[in-house]
């Protein structure tokens, strides 16, 4: 679990505010659900045999003897809220997004933490492929807005209750014939949840999976039509994608469409999936809710942030102005001037410790402020001061009652080149 301090938080804020903008444009409203839920919610939706529920949940008993879990993902809590508030009675289609911390007891490495952040979206009430495509479109536009280019969309269809059993049987038969080549974990998965073998990161298991039966060849006519139409819709939107028949996703609740966005950056290693999702038309009913189709997606902020940091851009907003005081007697006026300019919308830094002018100027340099204004007795009596551009250049004369407008009128110096 990580601490995020000023200096690092800005890139997170950039990602979060970009997400809010994009989801807003697409008409997705934000939901916030509690950090803890009944353990049973995740067992019933995500599935007992998944890694998430089987191995990774932080589960505890509260003082009332209830089994609670820190949420490991956001789809089930959102579905619980949707059912509990009878949202389907109020509107036929709802589009929600969420962002916040999730908890999984995982082995920590780059891009894999025990508390991590996800941004996710769910669209309830539309079973059409256009809804799947629209959801992928938000993600594509979001990644574009972040400036992340080397991310590939992978799509697949897992069929439905009608056609998946035949595929499942064939897969089990095939995997049993190759049992000896699988890792110990996968030999267990084979018994309990054979689809998960396709998800294994072990190279040998991946080779076995690659030569196995292709789920797409088992799709029934309606599922095939859904998948074909989805690809047509992606074409209409100009979204590039790869069909990957081994993509299954690590959760139990998916039907038909599943998809992942995979980054090709070495910094992420095996944690290269920045996000994934799929359709879960049966989950609401399975949880005791209405028979409402849904499609959802979640992406990992930690991994997006890693990619953005690799890009070398800076996200910290530098102060417009640093106010330094030349003498003890100007300290109160400096404090008041800083306050007034902040009220007028400037980002102002001021050393509350006072101290020598030299030490304040050092601090001004470090702050990265565009300008420094030195306030002394002379400035106070004349009402006139100077804006010293910290990047060098001629000082700009300024009236003390017109500082904000003057700072705003100064042309922005070219952004400093980030260090290689
Ligand atoms: P993986 O196969 O990498 O374990 P997953 O299938 O468990 O991923 P999902 O449940 O689909 O992951 O979660 C969606 C996204 O959330 C992932 O693609 C990833 O970006 C992020 N994510 C999942 N687990 C973690 C974690 N422990 N730390 C950081 N990010 C995570
Ligand atoms: Mg995982």
């Amino acid at each position: 679990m990580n601490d995020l301090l000023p200096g690092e938080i800005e890139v997170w804020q950039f990602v979060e505010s970009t997400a809010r903008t994009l989801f807003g444009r697409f008409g997705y409203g934000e939901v916030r659900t509690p950090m803890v839920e009944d353990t049973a919610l995740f067992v019933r939706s995500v599935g007992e045999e998944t890694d998430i529920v089987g191995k990774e949940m932080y589960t505890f008993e509260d003082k009332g003897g209830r089994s609670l879990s820190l949420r490991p993902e956001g789809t089930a809590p959102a579905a619980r809220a949707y059912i509990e508030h009878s949202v389907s009675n109020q509107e036929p289609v709802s589009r929600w997004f969420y962002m916040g911390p999730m908890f999984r007891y995982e082995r920590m490495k780059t891009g894999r933490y025990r508390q991590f952040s996800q941004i996710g979206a769910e669209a309830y009430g539309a079973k059409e492929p256009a809804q799947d495509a629209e959801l992928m479109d938000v993600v594509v536009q979001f990644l574009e807005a972040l400036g992340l280019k080397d991310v590939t969309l992978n799509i697949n269809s897992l069929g439905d209750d009608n056609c998946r059993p035949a595929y499942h049987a064939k897969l089990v038969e095939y995997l049993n014939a190759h049992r000896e080549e699988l890792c110990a974990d996968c030999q267990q998965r084979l018994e309990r949840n054979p689809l998960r073998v396709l998800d294994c990161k072990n190279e040998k298991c991946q080779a076995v999976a690659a030569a196995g039966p292709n789920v797409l060849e088992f799709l029934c006519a309606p599922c095939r039509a859904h998948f074909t139409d989805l690809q047509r819709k992606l074409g209409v939107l100009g979204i590039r994608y790869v069909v990957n028949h081994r993509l299954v996703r690590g959760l139990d609740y998916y039907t038909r469409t599943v998809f992942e966005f995979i980054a090709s950056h070495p910094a992420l290693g095996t944690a290269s999936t920045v996000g994934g999702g799929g359709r879960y038309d049966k989950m609401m009913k399975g949880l005791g809710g209405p028979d409402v189709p849904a499609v959802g997606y979640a992406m990992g902020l930690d991994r997006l942030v890693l990619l953005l940091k690799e890009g070398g851009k800076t996200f910290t907003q530098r102060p417009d102005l640093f106010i330094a005081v030349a003498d003890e007697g100007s300290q109160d006026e400096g404090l008041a001037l800083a306050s007034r300019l902040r009220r007028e919308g400037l980002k102002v830094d001021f050393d509350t410790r006072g101290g020598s002018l030299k030490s304040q100027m050092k601090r001004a340099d470090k702050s990265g402020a565009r300008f420094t204004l030195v306030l002394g007795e002379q400035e106070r009596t004349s009402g006139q001061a100077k804006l010293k551009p910290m990047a060098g250049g001629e000082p700009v004369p300024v009236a003390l009652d017109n500082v904000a407008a003057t700072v705003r009128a100064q042309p922005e110096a070219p952004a400093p080149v980030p260090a290689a």
Side-chain angles (χ1 to χ4, degrees):
M1 301 186 185
N2 296 310
D3 296 313
L4 296 173
L5 306 185
E8 190 177 8
I9 199 76
E10 291 77 8
V11 55
W12 288 81
Q13 292 170 333
F14 168 67
V15 175
E16 289 161 3
S17 66
T18 307
R20 282 183 209 286
T21 305
L22 260 302
F23 282 119
R25 277 185 202 163
F26 277 79
Y28 285 67
E30 182 173 357
V31 282
R32 296 189 192 179
T33 62
M35 235 55 97
V36 284
E37 296 276 353
D38 274 331
T39 302
L41 173 68
F42 300 110
V43 174
R44 287 169 62 196
S45 56
V46 179
E48 195 139 30
E49 304 302 340
T50 59
D51 281 357
I52 294 181
V53 171
K55 302 188 207 159
E56 297 172 355
M57 275 209 298
Y58 282 90
T59 298
F60 61 96
E61 201 173 272
D62 77 355
K63 290 201 164 46
R66 285 168 289 244
S67 178
L68 302 180
S69 293
L70 296 184
R71 62 179 187 193
E73 58 102 54
T75 295
R80 196 241 343 114
Y82 180 86
I83 295 167
E84 203 169 309
H85 298 274
S86 307
V87 180
S88 68
N89 294 338
Q90 298 150 42
E91 51 187 27
V93 174
S94 310
R95 295 187 182 86
W96 290 1
F97 82 93
Y98 60 84
M99 58 172 95
M102 305 294 160
F103 303 84
R104 296 183 194 176
Y105 193 76
E106 297 215 58
R107 205 167 303 156
M108 139 90 200
K109 53 184 170 201
T110 306
R112 197 174 287 286
Y113 312 105
R114 290 181 174 169
Q115 176 176 328
F116 59 100
S117 271
Q118 283 187 340
I119 297 183
E122 318 289 344
Y124 306 113
K127 61 182 189 323
E128 287 71 21
Q131 186 55 64
D132 309 27
E134 187 211 58
L135 186 59
M136 295 177 200
D137 193 25
V138 198
V139 183
V140 166
Q141 293 199 28
F142 171 69
L143 295 170
E144 268 170 26
L146 294 182
L148 294 175
K149 294 204 182 73
D150 298 325
V151 182
T152 310
L153 169 61
N154 279 229
I155 62 170
N156 193 22
S157 175
L158 299 179
D160 61 8
D161 289 350
N162 189 24
C163 53
R164 202 187 308 178
Y167 165 69
H168 203 269
K170 198 77 179 179
L171 180 69
V172 171
E173 188 189 309
Y174 168 81
L175 290 176
N176 267 317
H178 292 81
R179 204 187 157 81
E180 300 308 313
E181 297 155 56
L182 299 175
C183 72
D185 271 353
C186 278
Q187 296 193 1
Q188 289 224 327
R189 288 187 185 119
L190 184 46
E191 306 299 329
R192 301 167 63 165
N193 199 341
L195 270 184
R196 286 299 90 73
V197 173
L198 307 193
D199 228 10
C200 183
K201 309 227 158 42
N202 183 304
E203 268 177 36
K204 268 182 152 175
C205 301
Q206 285 186 355
V208 171
N214 179 342
V215 64
L216 296 173
E217 285 165 12
F218 290 79
L219 296 184
C220 58
C223 284
R224 183 164 325 140
H226 190 279
F227 194 53
T228 307
D229 198 26
L230 166 62
Q231 294 178 66
R232 209 182 53 75
K233 295 276 195 293
L234 291 175
V236 166
L237 294 172
I239 295 175
R240 275 184 294 173
Y241 63 90
V242 174
V243 174
N244 173 0
H245 74 87
R246 293 192 304 283
L247 179 67
V248 292
R249 312 270 309 120
L251 313 170
D252 275 2
Y253 47 60
Y254 292 119
T255 48
R256 293 189 168 166
T257 313
V258 288
F259 59 105
E260 276 189 357
F261 283 83
I262 301 173
S264 64
H265 200 288
L268 291 179
T270 57
S272 57
T273 304
V274 292
R279 183 161 274 290
Y280 51 100
D281 292 345
K282 296 278 179 286
M283 190 172 100
M284 287 292 185
K285 201 149 180 241
L287 287 175
D291 194 3
V292 168
V295 57
Y297 174 81
M299 60 199 143
L301 256 74
D302 303 73
R303 295 181 191 179
L304 292 179
V305 163
L306 278 171
L307 288 172
L308 284 171
K309 282 191 190 157
E310 287 291 318
K313 253 204 277 177
T314 50
F315 297 91
T316 40
Q317 197 203 339
R318 52 192 192 139
D320 300 301
L321 183 68
F322 190 99
I323 296 175
V325 292
D327 49 64
E328 188 81 37
S330 302
Q331 180 72 7
D332 286 356
E333 298 253 354
L335 181 67
L337 179 63
S339 167
R340 181 156 61 76
L341 294 176
R342 288 163 179 158
R343 185 167 283 126
E344 291 171 18
L346 287 196
K347 182 171 158 73
V348 180
D349 204 347
F350 173 70
D351 195 338
T352 45
R353 299 169 307 173
S356 75
L357 187 56
K358 195 170 155 212
S359 71
Q360 292 176 66
M361 291 311 285
K362 259 198 197 148
R363 175 94 195 224
D365 255 332
K366 226 175 144 197
S367 77
R370 284 181 68 200
F371 298 99
T372 296
L373 184 155
V374 178
L375 192 66
E377 206 185 327
Q378 192 203 322
E379 285 79 13
R380 287 193 283 130
T381 42
S382 66
Q384 295 291 321
K386 288 196 176 94
L387 296 173
K388 175 176 182 293
M390 297 308 281
E394 285 301 303
V396 181
V398 65
L400 284 180
D401 57 9
N402 196 32
V403 177
T406 311
V407 167
R408 287 206 183 92
Q410 300 307 306
E412 188 74 59
V417 183

